[in-house]
Amino acid sequence: MSKDARNKDLELSPAEKKQFDELVALLAKRGFGEEGPPRETAFAQIEQFGHQAGQMVARAIDARLAEQHATHFVGEEPCPTCGEKHLPNESPHNLELQTEDGEVKLREPAFHCPPCERDFFPSTHPVAD
Ligand SMILES: [Zn+2]
């Protein structure tokens, strides 16, 4: 199991590691209080909480990175069908994406090509479809 990708930690600087440890302490406290899990706690309960907290963190990272990534799509983008360039719509498309860690709500830049009568979303679908 040592080659399991789940065991691959990110490399963090000492300052980042300190902040990471603080986040872990904050979430652990949220789950089991200041004193930690009571004596009768089964490890499975600890593991279940850790997994829930981890998925929450994963969803937040997904949403943050997708929001940052979306800022690249403020100008004209080519229609995947005809190649004609269009500016993004005034309102982004609200998308509820199902990920391995649960539902992530995104606001993806939306484009419309009148000649092709199609919408396109180059931030989440970079390859023509
Ligand atoms: Zn088109």
Side-chain angles (χ1 to χ4, degrees):
M1 291 294 281
S2 61
K3 290 178 182 170
D4 193 324
R6 291 177 297 185
N7 293 323
K8 195 174 174 194
D9 286 339
L10 299 175
E11 286 184 27
L12 300 177
S13 71
E16 291 167 336
K17 180 72 167 69
K18 184 173 181 292
Q19 286 187 298
F20 178 80
D21 290 344
E22 286 168 1
L23 175 63
V24 168
L26 179 151
L27 294 173
K29 183 179 164 185
R30 170 55 58 191
F32 290 94
E34 191 74 61
E35 304 299 316
R39 179 187 166 94
E40 66 275 14
T41 307
F43 180 74
Q45 294 171 267
I46 293 173
E47 182 187 7
Q48 186 178 32
F49 177 76
H51 195 67
Q52 182 187 4
Q55 289 186 312
M56 178 182 171
V57 171
R59 291 193 302 270
I61 291 171
D62 290 350
R64 181 185 174 88
L65 291 176
E67 192 174 310
Q68 289 179 316
H69 179 248
T71 64
H72 294 296
F73 299 87
V74 292
E76 292 185 326
E77 293 290 334
C79 168
T81 303
C82 70
E84 189 175 304
K85 289 188 171 180
H86 300 283
L87 286 168
N89 300 345
E90 298 231 338
S91 321
H93 176 235
N94 292 316
L95 176 67
E96 291 174 359
L97 201 63
Q98 290 302 324
T99 75
E100 285 183 36
D101 299 302
E103 189 177 281
V104 176
K105 291 190 169 98
L106 305 178
R107 290 162 49 88
E108 60 179 351
F111 296 75
H112 182 73
C113 182
C116 296
E117 296 183 341
R118 68 164 289 176
D119 298 318
F120 58 102
F121 309 94
S123 70
T124 51
H125 299 85
V127 182
D129 60 318

